[in-house]
Amino acid sequence: MSIFDEELKGLKEKILRMGLLVESAIRDSIKSLVERDSELAKEVIKRDHDINALDVEIDEECIRLIALRQPKAGDLRFITTAMKITTDLERMGDLAEDISERAIELNEEPPLKPYIDIPRMADIAQGMLRDVLDALIKGNSKLATDVIKRDDEVDRLNLQVFNELLFFMIQDPTNVSRATRITYISKYLERIADHATNIAEMVIYMVEGKIVRHVTI
Amino acid sequence: MVEQTLKAEAKNLNFYYGDVHALKNINIPIKRRKVTALIGPSGCGKTTFLRCFNRMHDLYPHNRYEGEITLYPDNVNIISRDVDPIEIRMWISMVFQKPNPFPKSIYENVAYGPRVRGIKKKQIIDERVEKSLRGAALWDEVKDRLHNLAFDLSGGQQQRLCIARSLATEPRILLFDEPTSALDPTATSKIEELIVELKNEVTILIVTHNMQQAARVSDDTAFMYLGELVEFDRTDKIFTNPSNGLTEEYITGRFG
């Protein structure tokens, strides 16, 4: 294996590591909400530094490879994809941090209602992230296309959660503060799924050389 | 329609060095006033292909062409035996790897072609020399010493002089065979800029080992391997998303 191939492999491993950190941040942020574990939420917030550090590290590595190796064709598409993907991953990490902050606030008050749709949304979003990372590593654009299709279900659940919470707020104004926070969390999860979709679109570009952003697949 | 966009076209071109089948059924369209780059590992046939265009192979016996290279808009098959190679070389001139000026003055190097063509009037030759030297971005550097020996010039200047010499016959196609492999980076970038400028006037074919150079100067790229054309496409397509796996391996440096 050439030095350049080793470097590309190292880059791929870093992206994967960053993806796994983001995935566990999402999982633990929802866990801290559902299990009312504010200590875990604080830990998620602290761990976001590691994600940010990897974001910078991966960007620097991509710039170095472009400058020194003048990548072409598939290598070029992989490196440009890596640069864009880390932006999405970093934003997903921030959103997990946001979920944790809302969880800490919510955990200080009695529960409004059992969480049902929120964990379902989180499951789908996490699954999307896991599969899109798999698609990236394997260069599988079919798997990436499948990830994009799952975004609709998250959007649908987000709307459902919103309508339900609106009803709670209309019923009793003392619910507003908690219901608004849960609405935020729902929106954060919806955004996380959108970022997974962006990554899936970049993976399709990386594999097929075709830009599928802003078009319906 | 074809004549408007294409300057030349290789159709089922085969070439043999005696028993060696060096070019196998090559089909490449050469677009008018565009730069077409030929890339591929050593021995792939890219220089052989380039040399067909000005009948360089005719200098050796046992060499044989099959198929056609059609020049537009004349519709002339330039490798046909009925076509005079000397005439072809007036239309299609070549710049080589190493600068090879004649052991004459700067002026006489450029005036040589027009003189061979029978132009005698000094004023016309003077004009042609100035125009060609300007075209090769050399005029300002040599206008005060036109009668100095060409060998007094630096390597990069000598190569631009050779380009001026080629331009002086007002060719339809300019062939470049690794024109910068003997030059330093500064002289190289001057030649590259010049190639991009020249395509406003003339159709260009360039063989290069330097893939970044092909990417920088050309509009279309042909990737050849073992005497065959593997892929021909727009240069940006070849360098971002080639269709053929072999092209991908070659341009990413994994073989060749």
Side-chain angles (χ1 to χ4, degrees):
Chain A
M1 200 186 254
S2 73
I3 297 171
F4 184 38
D5 282 330
E6 296 276 2
E7 289 170 329
L8 290 174
K9 191 166 157 253
L11 182 59
K12 212 173 250 191
E13 282 165 2
K14 268 186 196 155
I15 296 168
L16 197 58
R17 201 185 325 145
M18 185 175 175
L20 292 174
L21 286 180
V22 173
E23 199 190 321
S24 68
I26 299 167
R27 189 184 56 237
D28 289 344
S29 68
I30 294 300
K31 196 174 171 203
S32 77
L33 174 78
V34 176
E35 297 181 4
R36 303 178 66 79
D37 183 349
S38 293
E39 283 311 307
L40 183 59
K42 284 177 194 158
E43 205 191 292
V44 172
I45 294 167
K46 234 195 297 181
R47 285 190 336 227
D48 193 49
H49 292 293
D50 301 337
I51 296 172
N52 292 345
L54 265 173
D55 176 35
V56 174
E57 206 178 302
I58 290 169
D59 253 14
E60 282 174 348
E61 177 67 2
C62 290
I63 292 166
R64 192 183 72 85
L65 291 177
I66 290 171
L68 302 185
R69 306 285 183 204
Q70 289 108 38
K72 290 171 274 306
D75 299 336
L76 176 65
R77 298 203 305 277
F78 170 60
I79 292 171
T80 47
T81 297
M83 291 185 86
K84 296 194 94 167
I85 281 182
T86 52
T87 309
D88 282 303
L89 287 174
E90 192 272 333
R91 289 293 299 140
M92 289 164 109
D94 286 350
L95 289 163
E97 193 183 351
D98 292 339
I99 293 173
S100 305
E101 285 168 359
R102 296 297 87 72
I104 292 169
E105 292 157 9
L106 283 162
N107 292 348
E108 282 170 4
E109 296 184 57
L112 181 65
K113 63 178 273 304
Y115 300 111
I116 299 160
D117 286 334
I118 297 272
R120 273 169 67 192
M121 288 174 78
D123 271 350
I124 299 170
Q126 271 180 74
M128 287 169 76
L129 174 58
R130 201 166 36 241
D131 287 349
V132 84
L133 290 172
D134 201 28
L136 172 78
I137 299 309
K138 292 180 180 152
N140 183 339
S141 61
K142 204 171 153 287
L143 191 54
T145 308
D146 180 57
V147 166
I148 294 172
K149 287 181 185 147
R150 280 185 264 166
D151 187 45
D152 288 346
E153 176 64 5
V154 181
D155 290 347
R156 195 188 65 76
L157 285 169
N158 178 42
L159 194 65
Q160 186 171 307
V161 168
F162 176 74
N163 287 332
E164 192 188 5
L165 290 168
L166 205 56
F167 181 67
F168 272 87
M169 291 191 252
I170 292 163
Q171 259 187 341
D172 180 355
T174 61
N175 289 340
V176 169
S177 128
R178 279 172 294 168
T180 308
R181 288 192 168 91
I182 300 169
T183 315
Y184 275 144
I185 291 176
S186 171
K187 184 66 189 165
Y188 297 150
L189 287 169
E190 188 268 334
R191 291 298 304 149
I192 286 174
D194 283 349
H195 285 294
T197 304
N198 288 351
I199 296 176
E201 288 166 346
M202 284 308 295
V203 169
I204 293 171
Y205 168 71
M206 181 188 87
V207 178
E208 298 178 9
K210 195 168 68 188
I211 294 179
V212 295
R213 291 197 311 276
H214 315 301
V215 292
T216 325
I217 296 184
Chain B
M1 197 50 210
V2 170
E3 288 81 1
Q4 284 169 0
T5 52
L6 293 188
K7 191 69 214 172
E9 189 173 14
K11 295 177 200 163
N12 296 319
L13 178 68
N14 283 275
F15 182 79
Y16 303 82
Y17 291 108
D19 296 333
V20 182
H21 193 176
L23 293 179
K24 297 168 187 165
N25 263 321
I26 307 286
N27 289 286
I28 299 180
I30 309 295
K31 295 195 191 109
R32 183 171 169 266
R33 293 189 180 170
K34 299 277 178 205
V35 178
T36 302
L38 302 164
I39 61 170
S42 297
C44 73
K46 56 191 189 298
T47 298
T48 301
F49 179 73
L50 191 77
R51 290 179 175 197
C52 290
F53 276 79
N54 74 345
R55 303 272 296 267
M56 291 269 288
H57 301 300
D58 292 31
L59 300 172
Y60 306 94
H62 312 301
N63 286 352
R64 189 155 56 87
Y65 305 92
E66 268 171 24
E68 269 184 43
I69 297 178
T70 310
L71 187 68
Y72 298 115
D74 320 61
N75 258 313
V76 171
N77 175 15
I78 58 178
I79 54 172
S80 156
R81 283 177 188 282
D82 306 331
V83 177
D84 178 10
I86 307 292
E87 187 71 9
I88 290 297
R89 286 171 206 148
M90 288 287 179
W91 297 345
I92 302 175
S93 48
M94 179 122 153
V95 176
F96 296 85
Q97 209 163 342
K98 277 192 183 162
N100 57 351
F102 300 138
K104 292 169 178 284
S105 71
I106 294 166
Y107 181 95
E108 284 303 325
N109 262 276
V110 185
Y112 189 83
R115 283 201 217 283
V116 170
R117 288 204 114 174
I119 299 172
K120 292 205 172 68
K121 224 172 157 197
K122 185 168 183 304
Q123 193 200 339
I124 294 176
I125 292 184
D126 280 352
E127 280 169 16
R128 191 68 76 82
V129 168
E130 178 173 345
K131 188 176 171 226
S132 305
L133 285 168
R134 282 190 190 279
L138 189 59
W139 176 253
D140 290 337
E141 292 162 56
V142 301
K143 62 177 186 238
D144 301 322
R145 47 172 171 150
L146 288 174
H147 299 286
N148 285 17
L149 205 58
F151 297 134
D152 293 348
L153 299 171
S154 73
Q157 287 171 327
Q158 286 187 26
Q159 192 64 313
R160 276 179 286 146
L161 178 64
C162 294
I163 293 172
R165 187 177 63 191
S166 302
L167 291 174
T169 56
E170 298 187 325
R172 302 166 191 202
I173 300 179
L174 256 188
L175 309 173
F176 286 92
D177 187 7
E178 299 254 6
T180 62
S181 59
L183 304 180
D184 70 24
T186 315
T188 296
S189 68
K190 269 192 187 162
I191 300 282
E192 286 179 3
E193 297 259 329
L194 184 57
I195 289 171
V196 176
E197 268 173 42
L198 283 172
K199 76 173 181 185
N200 295 318
E201 311 275 330
V202 60
T203 301
I204 293 169
L205 224 68
I206 178 170
V207 162
T208 176
H209 272 132
N210 180 340
M211 265 172 302
Q212 296 304 325
Q213 180 167 73
R216 282 191 297 264
V217 304
S218 70
D219 301 288
D220 285 332
T221 295
F223 169 60
M224 295 176 66
Y225 184 58
L226 300 175
E228 292 182 48
L229 175 68
V230 175
E231 186 168 351
F232 172 86
D233 214 322
R234 290 195 334 268
T235 299
D236 58 350
K237 172 83 167 51
I238 294 274
F239 283 89
T240 56
N241 190 20
S243 306
N244 191 294
L246 209 56
T247 315
E248 169 102 19
E249 281 183 36
Y250 180 69
I251 64 167
T252 57
R254 288 184 174 79
F255 103 102

